[in-house]
Amino acid sequence: MTGQTRGSARPNQWLRNLNAKIASIPMILTAVVIFVGGTAWTVLYSFTNSKLLPRLSFVGLDQYERLWAAPRWLVSIENLAIYGFFSLVFSLVIGFVLAALMDQKIRFENTFRTIMLYPFALSFIVTGLVWQWLLNPQYGIQSIVRSLGWTSFNFDPLYNSDIVIYGILIAALWQGTGLVMCLMLAGLRGIDEDIWKAARVDGIPMWKTYVLIIIPMMRGVFITTLVIIASGIVKVYDLVVAQTSGGPGIASEVPAKYVYDYMFQAQNLGQGFAASTMMLVTVAIIIVPWAYLEFGGGRKRA
């Protein structure tokens, strides 16, 4: 009798939440077939000599050797590193500072928050075209400043191969900083008010409160924001196409554009697959530490 009671009290774990498990089958199949299968297919064909159509003609690491010997790819990696570093730093710093200012219970907060978040609602193509016009020396910022009397003023980053990537960076910061601000503001609003009161009672300066207390408590928000920004950095494409199309020359090339051009214009699928595989490795370098910090590290602490 006791054995029957115990058996009935412990239903099979596979039958728990059966409806939810059945409902999740399409998403699981989608993830396995499309994402995992597509990734494996791309990596496999990166070792082939595929041109217009994919074919299993293996050439070993030849595509990767050509890739890392191509000046255009090296320029795109250098641009991505510069763009990524400054985009990451400025997005986090500006976004956090704006969130801290917004957290002071200012008047018309909803209006300011909407204005700052509005650029994120635009597509990258629209943002790129707007900033292409603003940075055009004939009728953009340079022309306006010169019309005010400062005739020696020069500001044409999109037409200077040495600083063109910074012109793209300006547009990216204008569009993405509002989202970072909202994420940081949500984190700040989650801080217990008693912590702020205790810091004020102890006479801790405001900047020390943020640096030593608030920011460490927002670790999860910072990690999530970091992953969002980093994933956007790796796949940047629209802004470059809309503003410069990779020019002047190849000065503003990025890996995503390199992949697209080789796969759909140069009709060299093998080279495009090799470049996209390197982008996949970059994403894995970002995602794996984040997954460890969010899941693996938490389990060990528990």
Side-chain angles (χ1 to χ4, degrees):
M1 187 71 178
T2 306
Q4 292 178 352
T5 303
R6 289 178 180 175
S8 60
R10 290 186 177 180
N12 192 334
Q13 289 185 350
W14 291 100
L15 298 178
R16 293 180 181 176
N17 300 322
L18 185 60
N19 291 336
K21 291 178 179 178
I22 293 174
S24 66
I25 289 176
M27 182 55 66
I28 294 174
L29 292 177
T30 300
V32 172
V33 175
I34 296 181
F35 296 109
V36 178
T39 299
W41 190 83
T42 299
V43 174
L44 174 65
Y45 278 89
S46 69
F47 297 100
T48 68
N49 193 27
S50 300
K51 295 296 184 182
L52 178 61
L53 296 173
R55 58 176 182 173
L56 285 173
S57 176
F58 290 100
V59 292
L61 297 174
D62 284 2
Q63 295 290 3
Y64 293 93
E65 292 176 358
R66 294 173 188 168
L67 180 69
W68 288 102
R72 183 179 174 185
W73 174 255
L74 297 179
V75 169
S76 68
I77 292 297
E78 181 183 355
N79 285 336
L80 187 67
I82 296 172
Y83 173 86
F85 174 78
F86 287 106
S87 179
L88 199 61
V89 171
F90 284 118
S91 293
L92 288 174
V93 172
I94 297 174
F96 183 80
V97 171
L98 290 175
L101 294 174
M102 200 73 67
D103 194 41
Q104 305 305 312
K105 308 297 188 297
I106 62 175
R107 295 181 63 184
F108 308 111
E109 176 189 329
N110 292 336
T111 303
F112 285 119
R113 190 167 63 234
T114 302
I115 292 173
M116 292 180 184
L117 188 60
Y118 175 75
F120 187 74
L122 301 176
S123 71
F124 284 106
I125 293 294
V126 173
T127 298
L129 292 175
V130 168
W131 278 95
Q132 182 192 55
W133 178 82
L134 288 173
L135 298 177
N136 189 301
Q138 294 182 355
Y139 42 80
I141 296 174
Q142 176 177 297
S143 176
I144 294 172
V145 174
R146 287 187 176 184
S147 66
L148 297 176
W150 190 358
T151 56
S152 62
F153 178 79
N154 288 312
F155 189 66
D156 56 347
L158 298 184
Y159 298 85
N160 187 333
S161 59
D162 294 329
I163 59 173
V164 61
I165 195 65
Y166 300 102
I168 297 171
L169 176 65
I170 293 172
L173 291 174
W174 179 79
Q175 180 166 30
T177 304
L179 174 65
V180 177
M181 181 208 69
C182 289
L183 293 172
M184 295 295 175
L185 183 59
L188 288 172
R189 293 286 164 85
I191 302 296
D192 194 336
E193 189 65 29
D194 292 338
I195 294 175
W196 294 102
K197 293 179 181 178
R200 285 193 291 268
V201 170
D202 292 340
I204 302 175
M206 182 66 73
W207 69 272
K208 279 191 176 181
T209 303
Y210 277 110
V211 174
L212 300 178
I213 301 175
I214 303 303
I215 291 178
M217 293 181 66
M218 293 175 58
R219 171 181 167 274
V221 176
F222 273 93
I223 292 176
T224 301
T225 306
L226 180 68
V227 172
I228 293 174
I229 297 173
S231 61
I233 289 170
V234 173
K235 63 183 183 181
V236 61
Y237 171 80
D238 312 61
L239 278 177
V240 175
V241 172
Q243 287 187 273
T244 65
S245 295
I250 60 172
S252 59
E253 285 287 337
V254 288
K257 186 175 182 300
Y258 184 96
V259 171
Y260 179 87
D261 288 349
Y262 268 87
M263 291 183 69
F264 299 104
Q265 293 185 1
Q267 298 179 352
N268 190 340
L269 290 180
Q271 184 69 184
F273 288 146
S276 59
T277 301
M278 297 309 303
M279 292 180 64
L280 174 66
V281 172
T282 305
V283 172
I285 292 173
I286 297 169
I287 296 298
V288 170
W290 169 78
Y292 174 77
L293 290 173
E294 285 296 299
F295 303 106
R299 289 176 182 172
K300 288 184 178 180
R301 289 192 299 271

